[in-house]
Amino acid sequence: MDRGTVGSAQSGRLLVEVREEGLSAVVTPAGELDHHTADLLREPLESCLAKGFKRLVIDCSGLEFCDSTGLNVLLGARLKADAAGGGVHLAGMQPVVARVFEITGAEAVFTLHDSLEAALADGSG
């Protein structure tokens, strides 16, 4: 498996790391995803899609907070990945972040996994 680091971005409240894992791009945001930090996640997601990755795995285990702006970034990436014949898989969400997805109904449009390992083992889009 290729575990090469593709890149990373950081602000005071959000760190985003990206790496290749086979045919998937694994994007790992850590910290708070909100209006002020959303572009730090949007840009790497769009870059992965532009490089031809159709399957994005978002490791949410380090995500401590997600507001509606952050949710919209993930929804936008999902639409683009779906249009390319792929998908966005969310893994390891903390309860506080999972609650946002539950309240908004967004959990129904993403493929959710308990862990990053489970997401990577699932070979679907």
Side-chain angles (χ1 to χ4, degrees), residues 29-116:
E32 299 177 5
L33 177 57
D34 60 23
H35 173 74
H36 300 289
T37 61
D39 283 339
L40 289 172
L41 181 58
R42 180 182 294 110
E43 292 168 5
L45 291 174
E46 289 180 357
S47 177
C48 289
L49 292 165
K51 290 178 183 175
F53 286 100
K54 296 176 185 175
R55 187 174 195 273
L56 303 178
V57 176
I58 315 294
D59 179 1
C60 299
S61 62
L63 203 54
E64 300 164 2
F65 177 80
C66 180
D67 72 0
S68 60
T69 306
L71 181 59
N72 282 329
V73 167
L74 294 170
L75 288 167
R78 185 194 70 85
L79 289 173
K80 290 176 182 175
D82 284 354
V88 174
H89 295 250
L90 303 179
M93 273 197 274
Q94 299 296 324
V96 67
V97 174
R99 182 76 176 128
V100 172
F101 283 76
E102 182 182 324
I103 290 169
T104 61
E107 67 182 2
V109 299
F110 287 99
T111 304
L112 305 178
H113 302 276
D114 290 336
S115 68
L116 176 59

